[in-house]
Amino acid sequence: MLLSGRVQKIKPSPTLAIEAKAKALKARGVDIISFGAGEPDCDTPDNIKDAARKAIDAGFTKYCPVTGTPDLKAAIIEKFKTDNGLVYTPEEIIVSCGAKHSLYNLFQAVLGKGDELIVPAPYWVSYPDMALLADAKVRIVTTKERDGFKMTPAQLSKAIRKKTKAVVINSPSNPTGSAYTTEELRALAAICIERNILIIADDIYEKLVYDGFSATTIAATIPEAKNITVIVNGVSKAYAMTGWRIGYAAGPKEIIAAMGNIQSQSTSNPTSISLKAAAEALSGSQDSVKTMCGEFAQRRDYIVERLNTIKGVRCFKPQGAFYVFPNVKKLLGKTYGGILINTSAELAAYLLDTAQIATVPGEPFGAPGYLRLSYATSLANIKTGLDRLEQALK
Ligand code: PMP
Ligand code: GLU
């Protein structure tokens, strides 16, 4: 066999696969409404594009420092100071090719054979497979919908074993949009400090929050928490920069240095032009973030309200991100248009085939019986998509 044992344990990202399928169908002329996208539907703001153009014109097109340029690191350090009240030095920061790459490097740097990673479910699809690529095991903690899909301190305590190395906290969450309060995070941080567990804080949706909710990073909840946390964040979601591939991490020097070594032996620096664009995103005007949040808030209110009027569907109202995660368990075990639908995966396939709407089933998020709908698409699309959904379920 040509392939390594490690790579045979993983699958391609299901979220990327569904969005690619929806795009391919659209390109073939099929009238698809996609709720699959994990990316903002607006364009990258002009000030950011201008910074990239300037970088090209100035010949900023060569190799850069592996872990990020001084100007971008300074912008990231400033962001942590103003947004989170956290003080980092440049050696505690690494810039990677997307938050996903930061997470991948981090998993490679801290996890290995015999280690366990605690992942609360529903979880973002890539955590378990990234842990497998590091030869580590995953311990899933299934959260309850009635707890707002949040892991309780009791659940965390119970899941910790001798082999537990780290826990992932993703708030606001993909796929539920649920976000922890500061008090809830403080309680989880206290357990991790006491039990000596590394915290991997995936804060990528930090800025996409609604109704005055403010997202706290777990690293800032107790002074000691910062020393045992690696924060992962990036510009993809907040600045509509998914294609630019810039993410970053902040944490203890030795972990960041190890991530830098992995990066220097694999990708080298992220794209020079994107580094300049990201520096502008973080240090330039933040107006576009506000505008985007205003738009998302409206869509969230609409989609949640409408989903809750559909018989057999129950939808939690999330505090952040741009996803809703309706419970569709009551729709299962029934026949639609002559087709028996037993699982959320079958339901998503049925909706794509018969109603031309793309959704992501709960299964790859570790939550069968749910669907993930991204509302990073126009209100008009959301309306038409939900009309089709209603019709398909009649
Ligand atoms: N974490 C979560 C929870 C995500 O949803 C995403 C989106 N792909 C990422 C990390 C990675 O984002 P990116 O690599 O585009 O920065
Ligand atoms: N995070 C986005 C999503 O969940 C993008 C796809 C991916 O990176 O898996 O849809």
Side-chain angles (χ1 to χ4, degrees):
M1 172 50 86
L2 231 51
L3 301 176
S4 70
R6 197 185 312 114
V7 86
Q8 289 181 63
K9 286 189 275 185
I10 64 155
K11 58 188 178 309
S13 162
T15 43
L16 288 179
I18 284 168
E19 191 48 17
K21 191 171 172 187
K23 279 185 180 147
L25 283 167
K26 227 183 242 173
R28 288 211 326 251
V30 186
D31 171 28
I32 292 283
I33 299 236
S34 181
F35 291 109
E39 60 184 352
D41 51 320
C42 55
D43 201 3
T44 305
D46 282 337
N47 62 315
I48 298 173
K49 289 200 225 171
D50 285 343
R53 282 189 203 99
K54 271 194 204 132
I56 297 177
D57 291 341
F60 195 74
T61 53
K62 303 287 202 288
Y63 288 137
C64 299
V66 169
T67 63
T69 43
D71 59 334
L72 177 52
K73 282 199 181 190
I76 293 169
I77 287 168
E78 190 53 38
K79 174 249 163 310
F80 279 120
K81 215 183 283 169
T82 16
D83 290 355
N84 313 104
L86 294 172
V87 178
Y88 288 103
T89 62
E91 300 75 42
E92 294 170 316
I93 305 283
I94 183 168
V95 183
S96 314
C97 311
K100 199 180 221 172
H101 187 219
S102 282
L103 284 163
Y104 180 81
N105 289 341
L106 174 58
F107 281 32
Q108 289 293 321
V110 301
L111 297 174
K113 213 174 165 64
D115 292 334
E116 255 184 36
L117 173 73
I118 295 178
V119 178
Y123 47 75
W124 179 45
V125 294
S126 291
Y127 304 133
D129 284 44
M130 282 190 194
L132 288 177
L133 282 171
D135 296 322
K137 289 225 165 83
V138 172
R139 184 169 293 273
I140 305 290
V141 173
T142 304
T143 66
K144 295 197 172 73
E145 189 179 336
R146 67 162 184 272
D147 291 333
F149 296 109
K150 290 183 274 196
M151 179 168 62
T152 64
Q155 282 183 309
L156 174 60
S157 289
K158 207 170 144 212
I160 296 173
R161 301 286 188 283
K162 260 214 190 89
K163 296 180 214 156
T164 308
K165 195 80 179 277
V167 56
V168 177
I169 300 293
N170 173 217
S171 174
S173 143
N174 177 2
T176 66
S178 172
Y180 290 86
T181 64
T182 308
E183 290 68 35
E184 288 165 342
L185 289 171
R186 190 174 291 130
L188 297 177
I191 295 167
C192 294
I193 292 163
E194 191 194 316
R195 309 284 293 269
N196 199 21
I197 309 285
L198 179 77
I199 303 171
I200 296 174
D202 184 345
D203 292 349
I204 191 89
Y205 295 102
E206 174 189 41
K207 290 195 185 282
L208 303 181
V209 283
Y210 315 113
D211 291 342
F213 184 89
S214 169
T216 309
T217 182
I218 190 166
T221 53
I222 327 180
E224 306 92 292
K226 179 172 172 260
N227 302 332
I228 57 150
T229 303
V230 179
I231 299 178
V232 175
N233 206 326
V235 294
S236 284
K237 315 287 175 174
Y239 303 97
M241 290 178 72
T242 46
W244 299 76
R245 310 309 303 133
I246 296 289
Y248 54 88
K253 235 187 258 179
E254 55 285 14
I255 298 180
I256 297 297
M259 291 167 68
N261 291 346
I262 296 169
Q263 214 160 276
S264 84
Q265 296 288 18
S266 50
T267 57
S268 307
N269 62 276
T271 310
S272 59
I273 301 152
S274 294
L275 292 170
K276 286 289 177 203
E280 171 61 23
L282 293 177
S283 52
S285 163
Q286 301 295 301
D287 289 352
S288 59
V289 187
K290 268 188 228 132
T291 310
M292 190 158 68
C293 281
E295 181 67 31
F296 281 149
Q298 261 183 13
R299 297 178 191 173
R300 178 203 62 160
D301 291 349
Y302 178 81
I303 200 168
V304 169
E305 203 181 310
R306 269 217 54 197
L307 282 168
N308 277 320
T309 63
I310 301 175
K311 201 164 168 242
V313 178
R314 183 176 69 216
C315 186
F316 165 82
K317 190 170 189 177
Q319 294 87 356
F322 39 64
Y323 309 107
V324 283
F325 203 57
N327 181 327
V328 293
K329 288 176 189 168
K330 289 208 171 125
L331 296 176
L332 306 179
K334 295 185 180 145
T335 303
Y336 301 90
I339 303 167
L340 176 66
I341 307 272
N342 279 320
T343 64
S344 40
E346 287 169 6
L347 181 62
Y350 167 77
L351 292 174
L352 185 61
D353 290 343
T354 61
Q356 278 86 49
I357 53 175
T359 60
V360 190
E363 282 85 349
F365 302 104
Y370 292 83
L371 290 180
R372 189 191 80 173
L373 277 73
S374 157
Y375 50 88
T377 184
S378 71
L379 204 49
N381 276 344
I382 294 173
K383 284 182 180 160
T384 313
L386 291 180
D387 289 345
R388 289 187 193 177
L389 179 77
E390 251 173 4
Q391 198 56 37
L393 295 177
K394 270 195 182 140

